[in-house]
Amino acid sequence: SQTIHQWPATLVQPVGSPLSLECTVEGTSNPNLYWYRQAAGRGLQLLFYSVGIGQISSEVPQNLSASRPQDRQFILSSKKLLLSDSGFYLCAWSVRGDTQYFGPGTRLTVL
Amino acid sequence: DQQVKQNSPSLSVQEGRISILNCDYTNSMFDYFLWYKKYPAEGPTFLISISSIKDKNEDGRFTVFLNKSAKHLSLHIVPSQPGDSAVYFCATTLRSGGYNKLIFGAGTRLAVHP
């Protein structure tokens, strides 16, 4: 069966510091991968998606970037965090179908 | 402009009764709809989905109804249990650039009390 991992689970970072969140998927090949953010009291906003290694598309302009160095690895990064980057970050995967399956999430607090 | 709307931010239901969560959408081209359940500090869990060729899909205590003419869908949970207390997100898919983009509503927080 497929599983999806995210780490770290929680992170507290100062403004201006770099960020690296990692997501890995097991049990499937060539998945579509997604990064979402849930800000406090709001729905899920798609940030990036990837249909293959090295293929990244951004949904909204922002202070973040994503990379996919391996088939089942998706990384969310920032060179300098802003206060507005605080939120709950979710990685998700899908294969061919419409249903996306989410990881456990990372709670990021920027102080 | 919200393409998927969940107009009730919260809902409180007594254990054993029916919970009805509602969702409206704006684009008649949407053809696949999903419900996710989310506990605090966890990722959303897929619950149930429905294709636009159907008007009802049932899975155990969960039933989703789709009214295409009204651009409305609802999730029924019966009987409701305290463990159902969570935030429920309605979502639809939009095919864009060779992949399926999920568009989420803002969520409805369900509280099931004894």
Side-chain angles (χ1 to χ4, degrees), chain A residues 38 49 59 97-98 100 103, chain B residues 32 36 38 43 95 99-101:
Chain A
Q38 183 185 19
Y49 68 92
E59 277 294 305
D98 294 291
Q100 294 179 21
Chain B
Y32 191 76
Y36 285 83
K38 185 181 181 301
R95 282 160 184 76
Y99 86 107
N100 296 328
K101 171 182 175 179

Side-chain angles (χ1 to χ4, degrees), chain A:
Chain A
S1 64
Q2 299 87 1
T3 55
I4 179 168
H5 305 277
Q6 285 185 246
W7 64 90
T10 60
L11 190 60
V12 180
Q13 292 284 99
V15 168
S17 64
L19 173 74
S20 181
L21 303 181
E22 189 164 343
C23 170
T24 58
V25 181
E26 296 177 358
T28 186
S29 296
N30 196 29
N32 290 340
L33 297 173
Y34 311 84
W35 277 112
Y36 287 85
R37 176 171 58 205
Q38 183 185 19
R42 302 186 67 178
L44 298 168
Q45 180 186 36
L46 178 65
L47 302 176
F48 299 95
Y49 68 92
S50 171
V51 298
I53 296 174
Q55 301 178 64
I56 309 295
S57 295
S58 173
E59 277 294 305
V60 293
Q62 59 205 303
N63 183 44
L64 302 167
S65 62
S67 61
R68 184 168 177 176
Q70 300 180 46
D71 181 45
R72 287 168 287 181
Q73 184 185 32
F74 206 20
I75 297 172
L76 184 69
S77 305
S78 174
K79 293 182 179 178
K80 289 186 178 182
L81 283 168
L82 306 172
L83 286 174
S84 57
D85 292 325
S86 292
F88 192 56
Y89 288 83
L90 290 154
C91 181
W93 68 273
S94 70
V95 178
R96 289 181 293 278
D98 294 291
T99 305
Q100 294 179 21
Y101 300 93
F102 287 82
T106 295
R107 170 73 58 194
L108 171 66
T109 303
V110 183
L111 301 175

